[in-house]
Amino acid sequence: LIMNKQLLLLASVFISGGLFAQTVIFEDDFESYTAGMGVAEQSDTWTTWTGAAGEDADISTDFANSGSNSFKIESGSNDVILPVGPFTSGKYDVKFMMYMPQGNGGYFNALHAWEEDNTAYEWAVDVFFSSTGAITWTAEGAAGGGASFDPATWFEVQVTADMDSDVGTLYINGESVASWQWSINNGSGAAGMNQLRAFDFYGTVPAGSGPVTYYIDDVQVIETTTVAVAEASKNVAGFYPNPANSELTIRYDFDQPTSITIFNLSGQKVVDFTARSQAGN
């Protein structure tokens, strides 16, 4: 790693590296399903809101983000559930690809509590996609908005539920668009359960928004855990020249993104940054 900075009388370098492991605990691209039949009908994981007839969504070949299959939600009774956990600690990303034909909208929600045979439901967030490309949501008892999507284009949706920090985050195409206290009941704003239980894909849209048709593909549930933290000083990480006037080379032995902070002889922080180059440079 080579830096071009004005570094006078360099005293020390502090390096710390935190390694985060991501484990895919569930994924489905629907390629093993038969088109024209229900997704819950063919799955040991997916189910429907109550199990009633007509709630299942058909596997479709109309559009797909990968392969040839996705599942299709339409206006009316389609109400498909992905049970998750229940998890009461840890950090989880739920990702999926979404597609709405021109002039159509869609919807999903995440739940703290859900059971097919119990009506004691509790929602974490509702997310609405209008037929005009606007994205709105309800979290912590308040409505939000300002994000958008391109109709007739596949885009990525991600909800991160961090129960340890009690934070929920909504991402669209990798960009954070909303954040809220995860455990708060989305509709009332009252204290709720700090738990991740299910995702619900339902055939509804914001009032006056037009028809509902949307497709879901390439679903993943990912667990993120911190597995290691390492620290080093100038005794185990080489740097030269010292002192440095304009250019400093640092050699370090970590193979993960690493935070580096440089101090001068007066103890003042000169610069800090995250290094992502190959180990040993």
Side-chain angles (χ1 to χ4, degrees):
L1 176 68
I2 298 176
M3 295 184 56
N4 291 300
K5 283 282 184 181
Q6 189 73 17
L7 302 176
L8 299 175
L9 298 175
L10 180 69
S12 63
V13 175
F14 179 80
I15 299 177
S16 65
L19 178 62
F20 296 91
Q22 289 192 317
T23 303
V24 177
I25 59 176
F26 174 80
E27 60 185 344
D28 203 340
D29 61 7
F30 308 105
E31 294 306 296
S32 65
Y33 295 68
T34 300
M37 296 176 62
V39 59
E41 175 186 4
Q42 303 180 73
S43 173
D44 294 330
T45 302
W46 294 90
T47 186
T48 63
W49 187 257
T50 67
E55 290 183 346
D56 206 354
D58 283 346
I59 296 294
S60 172
T61 57
D62 294 345
F63 303 97
N65 181 64
S66 66
S68 57
N69 290 350
S70 62
F71 75 76
K72 180 180 181 181
I73 297 283
E74 296 183 280
S75 301
S77 60
N78 287 160
D79 201 348
V80 174
I81 295 288
L82 174 62
V84 181
F87 299 121
T88 57
S89 63
K91 181 178 180 181
Y92 296 86
D93 301 325
V94 180
K95 297 182 177 183
F96 51 89
M97 301 300 294
M98 199 168 189
Y99 181 98
M100 273 151 278
Q102 193 74 41
N104 285 266
Y107 165 85
F108 76 90
N109 67 67
L111 293 114
H112 299 144
W114 171 87
E115 297 297 338
E116 187 176 281
D117 57 354
N118 189 330
T119 58
Y121 312 123
E122 185 180 302
W123 286 261
V125 64
D126 289 291
V127 183
F128 297 89
F129 302 84
S130 79
S131 57
T132 60
I135 305 174
T136 57
W137 50 84
T138 304
E140 291 186 322
S148 62
F149 70 96
D150 293 327
T153 302
W154 284 99
F155 61 94
E156 184 186 71
V157 179
Q158 174 182 328
V159 173
T160 297
D162 186 342
M163 271 75 65
D164 294 338
S165 300
D166 196 10
V167 174
T169 309
L170 171 66
Y171 299 86
I172 302 296
N173 285 331
E175 180 181 352
S176 172
V177 299
S179 185
W180 65 95
Q181 185 177 339
W182 175 259
S183 64
I184 297 295
N185 187 296
N186 79 308
S188 67
M193 301 175 66
N194 191 16
Q195 177 173 282
L196 172 60
R197 180 63 184 104
F199 274 68
D200 176 26
F201 300 92
Y202 179 50
T204 190
V205 290
S209 179
V212 181
T213 299
Y214 65 94
Y215 298 80
I216 300 295
D217 200 1
D218 295 329
V219 179
Q220 289 186 313
V221 180
I222 301 169
E223 180 182 13
T224 300
T225 54
T226 303
V227 298
V229 174
E231 296 183 354
S233 68
K234 83 181 223 180
N235 294 324
V236 293
F239 55 91
Y240 54 87
N242 183 23
N245 289 315
S246 60
E247 183 175 286
L248 173 71
T249 299
I250 301 174
R251 300 188 64 84
Y252 64 100
D253 297 323
F254 301 104
D255 59 0
Q256 68 264 7
T258 301
S259 175
I260 297 179
T261 304
I262 299 175
F263 300 89
N264 64 19
L265 282 175
S266 299
Q268 297 170 317
K269 182 170 67 175
V270 177
V271 65
D272 61 1
F273 60 95
T274 299
R276 299 181 183 276
S277 57
Q278 294 180 343
N281 294 284

